[in-house]
Amino acid sequence: GHADLNYLFAAVREVIPHINPSTILITKSTVPVGTGDLIEALIAEESPGFSPSVVSNPEFLREGSAVLDFQFPDRIIIGANDAHGQAVTEALYATFKDKNDVIMSTDRRTAEMTKYAANAFLATKIAFINEVSNLCEAMGANVLDVAHGLGLDDRIGPKYLAAGPGYGGSCLPKDTLALVKTAETVGVDMSIVRTVVQSNIARKQALGQRIVSSLSGGGAKRIAVLGLVFKPGTDDMRDSPSIDIIETLQASGHEVVGYDPIGQAEAEKLLNGVRYASDAYAACEGADAAVIITEWDEFRSLDLSRIAKGMRHPTLFDFRNCIVPIAAVEAGLDYHSIGRPTPVVSPN
């Protein structure tokens, strides 16, 4: 759970021979609170007499939307402990300040903490709505409408309230763990964040088990997994929910056929024993069940009748709620989604 700072400190060591007293080192990475202090100490150790400004300017960029997020930021946080570092870093973002009042100036540790707190809160929203979706399923409510009602409250907002198979990627999993570990080192109990981490792990495993429990009859079954990366618009497989779900299926003796529009090369590095298909229809051909894990746009427009006819047992688990339920049922699919009832088609 601890953040690995080896690459960061290696970069600092590369820079040290080229710095001078007016140099400003800006850390963009998400780093534990106090890392700026450690950078200062490293510089003092390897280059005595130099004390350049060390500034924290954390990124708030989404994978797949990084350029857009940089051009139109909702906030720019600059954390510096000296006036020189603060002023020069603010000057770098002068054009943004002319357009929007988005620049927040603070001390370095506060900037480092804000980034961690932001990611932990986003992870909490995801884990919360996933647990609410479980309750919706048990009580016959619709989590999509519940999330919409929550999002209309401007104190909550609509983002990160889409029920699904849990969060993954390069940021939320590692940053929630690192925040818990950082807190432990100073004797603070981050019980909410720790529970979010546990809830997210359990979520992935439970959804894999849901598929296993639905498979009737003995023997190995073939499962088509549509979408392998943690989110559309990227080929990032880091901590993707597909990994835990596929491993749960394989542990029960089932065969997995995977398909992802751009992530299969990365998936092959992490997943063992998975056969890959050229498209969603090929993946579903002869399958006993199919599951949508990543909400790629192409899955929203699948020919559901073709999917159903090609499967051995036409069962579809839509873990992103990206298929219209009535359309799936009318196509002949035994349809299961997240946190919402499956419609019943009346006979003509």
Side-chain angles (χ1 to χ4, degrees), residues 206-220:
L207 291 186
Q209 193 57 49
R210 182 182 298 187
I211 301 170
V212 172
S213 299
S214 75
L215 299 173
S216 59

Side-chain angles (χ1 to χ4, degrees), residues 158-191:
K159 295 181 179 180
Y160 284 77
L161 285 179
Y167 60 78
S170 63
C171 294
L172 299 189
K174 71 175 179 60
D175 292 349
T176 47
L177 283 171
L179 185 59
V180 170
K181 289 294 184 181
T182 297
E184 288 176 354
T185 63
V186 293
V188 174
D189 182 16
M190 300 287 289
S191 60

Side-chain angles (χ1 to χ4, degrees), residues 68-78 90 92-105:
L68 184 66
D69 290 343
F70 179 81
Q71 292 174 329
F72 302 97
D74 52 13
R75 77 277 210 198
I76 297 168
I77 297 179
I78 299 170
E90 285 184 8
L92 289 174
Y93 290 101
T95 56
F96 291 98
K97 194 167 186 178
D98 291 341
K99 297 176 183 177
N100 302 290
D101 186 18
V102 297
I103 297 179
M104 169 184 160
S105 297

Side-chain angles (χ1 to χ4, degrees), residues 48-324:
F50 274 23
S51 55
S53 299
V54 178
V55 174
S56 173
N57 176 216
E59 291 179 334
F60 293 94
L61 309 178
R62 298 166 296 168
E63 280 196 65
S65 306
V67 174
L68 184 66
D69 290 343
F70 179 81
Q71 292 174 329
F72 302 97
D74 52 13
R75 77 277 210 198
I76 297 168
I77 297 179
I78 299 170
N81 291 351
D82 64 275
H84 173 63
Q86 192 77 59
V88 173
T89 308
E90 285 184 8
L92 289 174
Y93 290 101
T95 56
F96 291 98
K97 194 167 186 178
D98 291 341
K99 297 176 183 177
N100 302 290
D101 186 18
V102 297
I103 297 179
M104 169 184 160
S105 297
T106 185
D107 63 273
R108 189 169 60 217
R109 286 194 168 215
T110 299
E112 293 169 340
M113 177 64 80
T114 301
K115 174 60 177 178
Y116 268 102
N119 279 356
F121 191 77
L122 294 176
T124 301
K125 291 186 73 173
I126 295 171
F128 174 78
I129 200 62
N130 283 340
E131 293 194 355
V132 168
S133 76
N134 290 337
L135 188 56
C136 285
E137 291 171 8
M139 303 299 294
N142 189 325
V143 73
L144 270 67
D145 290 342
V146 172
H148 180 63
L150 286 172
L152 293 174
D153 187 329
D154 59 11
R155 297 169 300 176
I156 299 173
K159 295 181 179 180
Y160 284 77
L161 285 179
Y167 60 78
S170 63
C171 294
L172 299 189
K174 71 175 179 60
D175 292 349
T176 47
L177 283 171
L179 185 59
V180 170
K181 289 294 184 181
T182 297
E184 288 176 354
T185 63
V186 293
V188 174
D189 182 16
M190 300 287 289
S191 60
I192 293 176
V193 182
R194 187 174 64 252
T195 302
V196 165
V197 172
Q198 296 166 349
S199 175
N200 193 62
I201 294 171
R203 176 69 170 175
K204 301 173 185 179
Q205 296 170 345
L207 291 186
Q209 193 57 49
R210 182 182 298 187
I211 301 170
V212 172
S213 299
S214 75
L215 299 173
S216 59
K221 307 293 184 181
R222 181 183 300 172
I223 316 299
V225 176
L226 307 182
L228 302 170
V229 296
F230 91 97
K231 66 176 290 188
T234 173
D235 66 352
D236 197 341
M237 283 291 299
R238 286 174 287 184
D239 281 296
S240 174
S242 68
I243 298 172
D244 295 81
I245 292 172
I246 287 172
E247 288 177 350
T248 299
L249 297 174
Q250 291 175 326
S252 297
H254 301 301
E255 177 191 1
V256 174
V257 180
Y259 167 70
D260 191 278
I262 66 172
Q264 289 184 190
E266 291 301 313
E268 290 175 2
K269 300 175 185 178
L270 297 173
L271 299 172
N272 296 317
V274 174
R275 184 161 59 86
Y276 296 94
S278 57
D279 58 38
Y281 300 105
C284 293
E285 187 70 31
D288 296 285
V291 52
I292 297 175
I293 296 181
T294 313
E295 65 274 35
W296 288 102
D297 283 342
E298 68 178 75
F299 298 153
R300 301 180 190 276
S301 58
L302 287 172
D303 183 338
L304 299 178
S305 295
R306 180 180 173 187
I307 291 287
K309 290 175 182 177
M311 297 179 70
R312 186 182 307 161
H313 298 100
T315 302
L316 176 62
F317 291 88
D318 179 8
F319 286 165
R320 292 291 183 176
N321 290 342
C322 61
I323 301 295
V324 178

Side-chain angles (χ1 to χ4, degrees), residues 17-74:
H18 309 285
I19 63 175
N20 59 60
S22 63
T23 297
I24 299 172
L25 295 183
I26 302 175
T27 303
K28 297 290 293 178
S29 300
T30 303
V31 294
V33 179
T35 299
D37 300 348
L38 298 177
I39 293 174
E40 285 186 341
L42 177 60
I43 295 171
E45 176 185 338
E46 300 206 2
S47 186
F50 274 23
S51 55
S53 299
V54 178
V55 174
S56 173
N57 176 216
E59 291 179 334
F60 293 94
L61 309 178
R62 298 166 296 168
E63 280 196 65
S65 306
V67 174
L68 184 66
D69 290 343
F70 179 81
Q71 292 174 329
F72 302 97
D74 52 13

